[in-house]
Amino acid sequence: MAPHIDDTSTQESGQNEPRNEPKDGEYIQWETLPPNGALNRWSHVLTREHEFPGAQAMLYGAGVPNRDMMKNAPHVGIATVWWEGNPCNTHLLDFGKIVKKSVEKQNMLAWQYNTIGVSDAITMGGEGMRYSLQSREIIADSIETVTCAQHHDANISIPGCDKNMPGVVMAAARHNRPFLMIYGGTIRKGHSDLLDKDINIVTCYEAAGAYNYGKLQTNCKSGPGANATPSDVLEDITQHACPGAGACGGMYTANTMATAIEAMGLSLPGSSSYPATSPEKARECERAAEAIRICMEKDIRPRDLMTRAAFENALVVTMVLGGSTNGILHFLAMANTADVPLTLDDVQRTSNRTPFLADLAPSGRYFMEDLYKIGGTPSVLKMLVAAGLIDGSIMTVTGKTLAENVASWPALDPGQKIIRPLDDPIKATGHLRVLHGNLSPGGSVAKITGKEGLSFTGAARVFNKEHELNDALAVGAIRPDEGNLVLIVRFEGPKGGPGMPEQLRASAAIMGAGLKNVALVTDGRYSGASHGFIVGHVVPEAALGGPVALVQDGDTVMIDAIMNRIDVVRTVDGVQGEYEIVKEFERRRKVWVPPKMKPTRGALAKYARLVGDASHGAVTDLGGSAW
């Protein structure tokens, strides 16, 4: 049997520490040829001599052209998260075909396949959203399955939407074979003539809130548009918000993950900011084969790149650009899968030292398409490397360091308005805050840019499912004259949802309605497009009996993004303190009856049984014996 790369080997760079390999017993141990030689290191098991004649017959039938290629050519899997019906993903099969041709030009065998996706925008606010986060696990499972079962020697993954990207990276950490990611790219901006401004998918949700509260109207002063009704305006927005292929255009979760993964060195320079329909995106697909060959020749593998320094880079870029709370969930999951220690405390520490600089949607004026025009992600990384905010020495899929990758890119123009100077940030510290307190003793994640203020106190209004809040907003039942309200949506966590659905429909409706007296708290998630005073990922979740299950209407909730706390406070006989609410929670717990969780069968039921909490990434393969 050919030798293995064991967990005591090191990279050719001369590292003294053991290489980060999947641990013995956690995964099947695959027979492999040693590095720095033949590139068909895994596939040779099937194609050498005559040990697996049936496998070779099938491979000939699938397109292997001759005996020489059968015996010597490496096998590269090309995984597209392609499916029709979602702009983020509809074009990815075509990208996969470009990559396949480029791989074949390198005298390697290219095998294209796809995995599943779920559109958050289409499922938002409905029962289908419960399938969104669990699709990340299915994507990871799918790519791990095909890569390992078919003995592929490398993998190129092409994701388009937000869970797609952590899914393909988690798969890479599991199979740990040469890998790179090609982001499907951002969508172009839409335009509404009746609003007389550029729009995007989030405009639809915010406009719905404005419509329900009687605040949606045309901005046309003359011509046919001047007589447009609110319904006409909403129809104009929905018809023009998504002008073609590509992922949602702001610094929402898809672009958050793409920029972070580029900062980790797992994609080619510029991948995260090239629009889906740009010529640069097609050229990136053509360059992928050369890059994956370099990774194969130099034995650069995913776990070599998924280092602690790389995750620190991802966190910094997310804070600088104003990225999504979902990014935190996905970074924790990716790090967990790669056996890299990363916790919520690390997130907060990074937030404390990182300024928020980008005037990007959802809280800002610009979109990824605008950032692309001033140099894109590489120009931002170049600035951050020069400032010492990220580590430019990390290795990347090009075989060069991150600093070397961006050295030839233009510096940001001092006159551009999208990325603020380091000495004049939007906020001196990060907009993502990790909150603890008696409402979330296991942690929660807040998205607070500072534009909403840094603290909020209000009376709790409790909703046991997301649809209850959506129904209340649809009829205008949350009013601006009710004083400060903390709207709590519970039983929507990883297990309780099940699936930890995003709640953009509610958060956007609140913004569109102009309800500035409202904060949102949930054990579920928010879309990267959500903004306002929002706190999600509350741990322990309500389904597990966390304190959020015990909150009642009228309780006073205090959120403090300076002290990083979220607490229910209670005054008894004029005295306010922790003791009072602890005793009250103890009383309520004695009479609390856990709800019967549904469903009990199918994909969501399996997910609910396996999934861990949000503070550890909501992963389904936490380890430990299966027997």
Side-chain angles (χ1 to χ4, degrees), residues 107-127:
N107 294 316
M108 298 188 290
L109 295 166
W111 304 114
Q112 189 173 7
Y113 60 97
N114 73 286
T115 182
I116 62 108
V118 169
S119 169
D120 289 358
I122 293 173
T123 61
M124 193 67 66
E127 293 303 309

Side-chain angles (χ1 to χ4, degrees), residues 142-471:
S142 297
I143 297 175
E144 176 197 352
T145 296
V146 175
T147 302
C148 294
Q150 301 302 122
H151 291 260
H152 287 169
D153 300 297
N155 172 258
I156 298 172
S157 287
I158 312 175
C161 198
D162 46 355
K163 272 78 51 203
N164 302 178
M165 281 169 276
V168 305
V169 172
M170 290 162 69
R174 295 181 193 173
H175 63 66
N176 201 34
R177 300 176 193 186
F179 159 86
L180 68 81
M181 187 191 90
I182 300 172
Y183 177 39
T186 186
I187 198 171
R188 301 281 190 179
K189 292 182 287 187
H191 186 83
S192 167
D193 289 339
L194 294 183
L195 289 182
D196 190 27
K197 69 175 186 178
D198 291 337
I199 60 173
N200 71 107
I201 185 64
V202 179
T203 314
C204 301
Y205 298 104
E206 295 187 357
Y211 181 84
N212 290 335
Y213 278 76
K215 295 187 175 184
L216 186 63
Q217 59 187 11
T218 180
N219 285 332
C220 295
K221 305 303 180 186
S222 61
N227 298 318
T229 66
S231 180
D232 293 333
V233 176
L234 193 55
E235 180 64 25
D236 181 56
I237 292 168
T238 57
Q239 285 194 20
H240 298 102
C242 299
C248 301
M251 191 45 59
Y252 313 144
T253 307
N255 284 325
T256 295
M257 295 310 301
T259 52
I261 288 168
E262 184 173 330
M264 295 177 69
L266 295 170
S267 57
L268 295 176
S271 181
S272 63
S273 47
Y274 294 146
T277 56
S278 67
E280 291 96 331
K281 181 55 68 175
R283 287 196 290 269
E284 177 191 352
C285 293
E286 292 171 349
R287 298 199 312 270
E290 181 182 353
I292 201 67
R293 190 176 189 96
I294 289 171
C295 290
M296 297 166 77
E297 290 172 346
K298 294 190 174 185
D299 194 28
I300 299 171
R301 290 195 260 158
R303 285 175 176 244
D304 301 329
L305 304 180
M306 296 172 70
T307 62
R308 176 58 182 253
F311 279 103
E312 293 271 357
N313 282 1
L315 288 170
V316 168
V317 167
T318 299
M319 302 297 176
V320 165
L321 295 179
S324 167
T325 53
N326 279 326
I328 305 308
L329 189 77
H330 296 322
F331 299 147
L332 293 169
M334 289 156 56
N336 179 291
T337 306
D339 295 314
V340 175
L342 190 74
T343 68
L344 286 177
D345 290 340
D346 298 316
V347 174
Q348 187 56 58
R349 180 176 52 77
T350 304
S351 183
N352 289 342
R353 70 178 178 88
T354 307
F356 170 34
L357 302 177
D359 189 13
L360 291 166
S363 64
R365 297 172 292 172
Y366 298 100
F367 297 90
M368 181 58 80
E369 180 183 354
D370 300 309
L371 185 63
Y372 151 74
K373 292 175 181 177
I374 64 166
T377 304
S379 293
V380 175
L381 295 177
K382 184 173 184 175
M383 181 263 290
L384 297 176
V385 169
L389 283 175
I390 62 173
D391 185 347
S393 71
I394 66 167
M395 187 55 62
T396 74
V397 293
T398 66
K400 299 178 181 179
T401 67
L402 185 68
E404 290 171 331
N405 283 349
V406 301
S408 61
W409 285 72
L412 289 171
D413 186 332
Q416 55 81 30
K417 303 297 184 183
I418 302 173
I419 305 297
R420 296 274 286 270
L422 288 165
D423 59 0
D424 184 26
I426 296 171
K427 186 171 180 282
T429 57
H431 65 300
L432 298 181
R433 315 297 293 178
V434 174
L435 310 183
H436 290 83
N438 63 32
L439 189 58
S440 64
S444 56
V445 178
K447 187 178 188 180
I448 300 172
T449 65
K451 298 175 183 179
E452 323 74 359
L454 296 174
S455 62
F456 190 97
T457 300
R461 180 81 63 83
V462 179
F463 302 89
N464 283 331
K465 280 290 183 180
E466 175 193 3
H467 70 83
E468 294 183 6
L469 174 56
N470 291 337
D471 292 345

